[in-house]
Amino acid sequence: MLLPFALASCATHNGVQPAEKAAEKPAAPATLPFKSTAVPPKTIDKELLFNYLAGEISVQRGAWEAAYEHLLLAAKEAKDAVAASKAARLAWRQDDMKRATRATKLWIEYDPNALSARQLAMLAALRNDDMDTALEQAHAMLLIAKARGKDGFLLLSSALATTKNRNKLLLIQDIAHQYAGDARAQYALALVSSQEKEFTTALQALDEAQKIDPQWDKPYLLRVQIFAMQGDEAGAEKLLREAADKYPSPALLEAYGRLLMQQKHYEEALKYFRKALDLNPKDHELLYVVGVLALQTRDWDLARSTWEQLRDNPRYHKEEEAWYFLGQLEELRGNLRQATENYNKIKAGRLRNDAQIRTAILTGKLGNLEESHELFNALRLTDPDQAVQIYITEAQLLKDLHKPESALKIYDEAINAYPQDADLLYATGLLAADLGDIEKAEADFKAALAIKPDDSDALNALGYTLADQTDRYEEAYAYVKKALELDPESPAILDSMGWVLFRMKEYSEALKYLRRAAEKLDDPEIFAHLGEALWTTGAKKEARDILDKASKKYPDNPKLKDALKRLQ
């Protein structure tokens, strides 16, 4: 859980320059550390031209050996670093280290400040167990990177990450020893060591890096990853929280915010993302996450100001997306007409179809069912690949509006158009079961299973319906048992198994499944089943506590209401 967010955070903030830097005049180019002594010819003769052309044609034909020889000849005659680099890469891709080394030497001779050439030379030397050459090329990389204003240690560790050669550890340890006072060198050692699962070495290197530069955020993020890789999730979380609070850089604050999001602690996550945004107010990605979290936590004023800011910013280039979330904002607040107006602002982009579906749904909720149906029909015509899901969405809308017969008509129309769609048959069966039409529900579920025999949802629905609305408990048990074998961690299926066992008066076993389901999912129907099972087994206080708590959270749920009535 902890690995992806730290990496994502690093990717988000690497290379971000303050606005003041961007406004400065470009600095004069630094003097590069190496000079080429190669002198290209003044003219191109026929043989040189032939080798260039023959090399390129051979590349296109996949004749890599011929391509290599022609390009190498062209490189030698023209003193051409580009031709040498192509020859080197060809040989490297074919894992021919002898040829790769020969071409790379020419490449470095003609362009000694080419970081890619130095990188290939270093990796080839490691493969050949030539540590002296590998170190020579590594030092060259550091000098060139410094002159170009880049982090040579990071480039070095990134290059070493591409090889599995164990010599890379010896090389990076030697570099870190020579640059013992440089936090970046220690961090590079930690990166390479962690890739090789040499965690003790990595953590010691991070200790050194943090002694040198205690406010640098990358060592903290890498330490978090190492803790997680070792299985210490709690330690990783504690470390990240402490680092974000003590050294609040955008990367650390965002990383901890993402962890809180994964744990669904949205209000706390929002606090950390807002702190990160305060430090980096021009980061549109941070602003985007703040907007999403503001909607999630129902902070309407913050949500509105955030999405309007993104909508009106010409550099964001996602005006359509901002309009979509402004539509979501109004929909969540119950302002359905304003929500529809916002959705209708979206004329293109990946959210256009979804916005049109939301418009069709809201039009129905506003009482314009004929217009809503026309909108759904138009969507099915313009997006035939999603037609089945659009049918299901329209039927669900009608069911929510307490028009189940109209919903069944939509399903009948859909099944006539798509008679072999298991999802449609399954959805129709669910509605029929809700209406108490057991014969139709059973037929629809079995028709779906004839198409998809291992559909755990359909198996579960059929088993649950038979257990809940008939006395065919043995059949119900068989269907739910098979569903549970296919999806053993599904809270819905665990609940069904508990309910089947309860109906079979296997109370002790029933409670085991119902408790597991309730632990996995906050669902009123699961709480209704668990409460009823507890009451029946004599645990009336626990049952009452569970049902009272659930009914306060879900006051309109019919299953909870029925359970409470039966137990009065």
Side-chain angles (χ1 to χ4, degrees):
M1 178 179 69
L2 284 153
L3 286 174
F5 71 83
L7 290 170
S9 181
C10 287
T12 301
H13 291 286
N14 274 351
V16 175
Q17 298 295 324
E20 294 80 11
K21 294 280 186 183
E24 291 176 1
K25 292 181 180 179
T31 302
L32 295 172
F34 301 100
K35 291 183 179 180
S36 173
T37 57
V39 180
K42 294 181 179 179
T43 59
I44 299 178
D45 59 25
K46 291 181 180 179
E47 184 177 354
L48 177 56
L49 183 60
F50 168 76
N51 281 319
Y52 273 124
L53 292 174
E56 294 298 336
I57 291 169
S58 297
V59 168
Q60 293 173 15
R61 291 178 176 176
W64 84 267
E65 289 190 11
Y68 173 88
E69 295 299 338
H70 285 298
L71 287 169
L72 198 66
L73 286 170
K76 286 180 178 178
E77 187 172 345
K79 305 295 187 287
D80 182 4
V82 174
S85 73
K86 289 183 177 181
R89 293 180 198 279
L90 276 172
W92 187 269
R93 282 199 293 270
Q94 300 301 320
D95 202 30
D96 189 331
M97 288 299 103
K98 186 175 180 181
R99 281 191 168 107
T101 300
R102 190 192 324 161
T104 303
K105 283 182 178 178
L106 288 178
W107 185 4
I108 291 172
E109 181 183 343
Y110 305 148
D111 186 3
N113 294 298
L115 281 166
S116 297
R118 299 291 185 170
Q119 174 182 321
L120 282 185
M122 177 187 70
L123 295 175
L126 286 175
R127 292 274 292 273
N128 294 327
D129 295 326
D130 184 353
M131 288 298 296
D132 289 339
T133 299
L135 280 166
E136 178 188 344
Q137 298 303 331
H139 283 294
M141 284 181 67
L142 294 175
L143 289 172
I144 297 165
K146 182 178 180 181
R148 295 185 186 277
K150 297 181 179 181
D151 184 345
F153 298 102
L154 186 59
L155 291 173
L156 185 59
S157 59
S158 298
L160 293 174
T162 65
T163 181
K164 296 180 179 179
N165 191 294
R166 292 288 294 181
N167 284 332
K168 68 181 183 181
L169 273 175
L170 296 176
L171 184 144
I172 197 66
Q173 285 171 341
D174 194 308
I175 293 290
H177 178 71
Q178 292 185 49
Y179 293 87
D182 194 316
R184 296 169 303 160
Q186 307 311 311
Y187 177 74
L189 172 57
L191 268 176
V192 177
S193 299
S194 65
Q195 290 159 5
E196 295 301 304
K197 294 184 169 51
E198 297 284 347
F199 296 128
T200 301
T201 301
L203 291 171
Q204 288 172 349
L206 289 176
D207 287 341
E208 291 301 315
Q210 289 174 308
K211 284 179 186 176
I212 299 166
D213 189 353
Q215 296 193 38
W216 188 24
D217 52 22
K218 283 185 179 179
Y220 290 101
L221 292 169
L222 181 55
R223 191 182 292 272
V224 167
Q225 292 176 51
I226 291 170
F227 277 32
M229 290 166 72
Q230 293 178 303
D232 187 0
E233 296 282 346
E237 180 180 347
K238 181 175 181 289
L239 171 65
L240 185 55
R241 183 181 67 250
E242 290 174 351
D245 288 339
K246 190 172 183 180
Y247 304 109
S249 73
L252 286 169
L253 291 165
E254 181 182 347
Y256 188 53
R258 290 193 183 280
L259 174 59
L260 290 168
M261 284 177 68
Q262 290 173 2
Q263 297 173 341
K264 298 184 179 180
H265 298 156
Y266 298 121
E267 291 187 1
E268 191 70 11
L270 179 57
K271 291 178 185 176
Y272 280 87
F273 273 101
R274 292 189 75 177
K275 288 178 182 178
L277 187 62
D278 287 341
L279 294 173
N280 199 359
K282 294 191 176 182
D283 189 323
H284 291 146
E285 297 306 317
L286 285 175
L287 193 60
Y288 179 97
V289 178
V290 167
V292 171
L293 285 171
L295 286 172
Q296 182 70 39
T297 57
R298 297 179 174 265
D299 188 335
W300 306 130
D301 291 339
L302 177 62
R304 184 185 303 282
S305 64
T306 300
W307 290 112
E308 286 178 349
Q309 185 178 343
L310 288 167
R311 179 196 64 192
D312 298 336
N313 191 328
R315 296 180 63 186
Y316 183 55
H317 303 303
K318 289 187 178 179
E319 182 182 349
E320 310 282 349
E321 198 162 342
W323 274 120
Y324 179 84
F325 283 106
L326 286 167
Q328 292 271 290
L329 167 64
E330 299 300 343
E331 185 176 347
L332 288 167
R333 297 190 69 186
N335 302 327
L336 303 190
R337 292 189 188 281
Q338 184 60 53
T340 301
E341 289 182 20
N342 290 346
Y343 288 136
N344 284 332
K345 299 280 188 182
I346 302 168
K347 306 299 182 184
R350 65 184 183 89
L351 292 172
R352 180 172 179 267
N353 281 3
D354 195 49
Q356 291 177 326
I357 290 171
R358 300 308 310 163
T359 298
I361 291 170
L362 297 186
T363 300
K365 288 184 175 182
L366 286 165
N368 304 321
L369 289 177
E370 286 189 17
E371 184 183 347
S372 173
H373 182 59
E374 290 175 5
L375 290 170
F376 278 118
N377 274 337
L379 283 164
R380 286 188 278 270
L381 289 172
T382 56
D383 193 5
D385 291 342
Q386 295 297 316
V388 168
Q389 187 56 51
I390 293 168
Y391 272 120
I392 292 172
T393 300
E394 183 177 7
Q396 184 61 46
L397 167 67
L398 292 166
K399 179 186 171 185
D400 293 342
L401 294 174
H402 307 293
K403 296 182 179 295
E405 298 302 330
S406 297
L408 279 176
K409 288 181 182 178
I410 294 296
Y411 278 134
D412 289 341
E413 179 186 329
I415 290 171
N416 284 333
Y418 302 93
Q420 292 300 305
D421 191 282
D423 291 339
L424 267 176
L425 291 162
Y426 167 71
T428 309
L430 290 176
L431 179 57
D434 285 344
L435 293 172
D437 190 343
I438 306 305
E439 185 176 344
K440 178 172 174 51
E442 184 176 357
D444 288 331
F445 289 141
K446 286 183 175 179
L449 288 167
I451 300 166
K452 292 169 65 176
D454 290 333
D455 187 330
S456 61
D457 290 332
L459 286 164
N460 179 56
L462 177 54
Y464 176 77
T465 300
L466 293 175
D468 194 53
Q469 301 192 45
T470 77
D471 58 1
R472 294 157 59 186
Y473 303 137
E474 295 296 334
E475 287 180 67
Y477 178 82
Y479 286 121
V480 177
K481 183 173 181 291
K482 185 175 179 182
L484 196 60
E485 288 169 355
L486 292 166
D487 192 356
E489 297 302 318
S490 166
I493 301 174
L494 289 167
D495 172 63
S496 294
M497 179 57 80
W499 194 240
V500 171
L501 291 167
F502 174 76
R503 301 281 277 179
M504 296 171 76
K505 298 186 178 180
E506 298 284 347
Y507 298 131
S508 178
E509 284 298 304
L511 281 171
K512 290 179 184 177
Y513 285 100
L514 292 171
R515 287 188 189 279
R516 282 182 62 196
E519 288 170 1
K520 286 178 172 290
L521 183 66
D522 185 339
D523 180 84
E525 191 164 337
I526 293 174
F527 293 137
H529 292 159
L530 177 58
E532 191 159 344
L534 287 166
W535 186 278
T536 304
T537 57
K540 294 185 177 182
K541 184 180 184 306
E542 185 181 357
R544 176 63 68 183
D545 289 344
I546 288 172
L547 292 172
D548 285 347
K549 185 177 179 181
S551 62
K552 287 177 183 176
K553 192 170 185 179
Y554 305 100
D556 299 322
N557 184 265
K559 294 285 185 181
L560 276 171
K561 288 181 178 179
D562 289 345
L564 286 166
K565 282 181 184 178
R566 283 196 298 272
L567 303 182
Q568 283 179 351

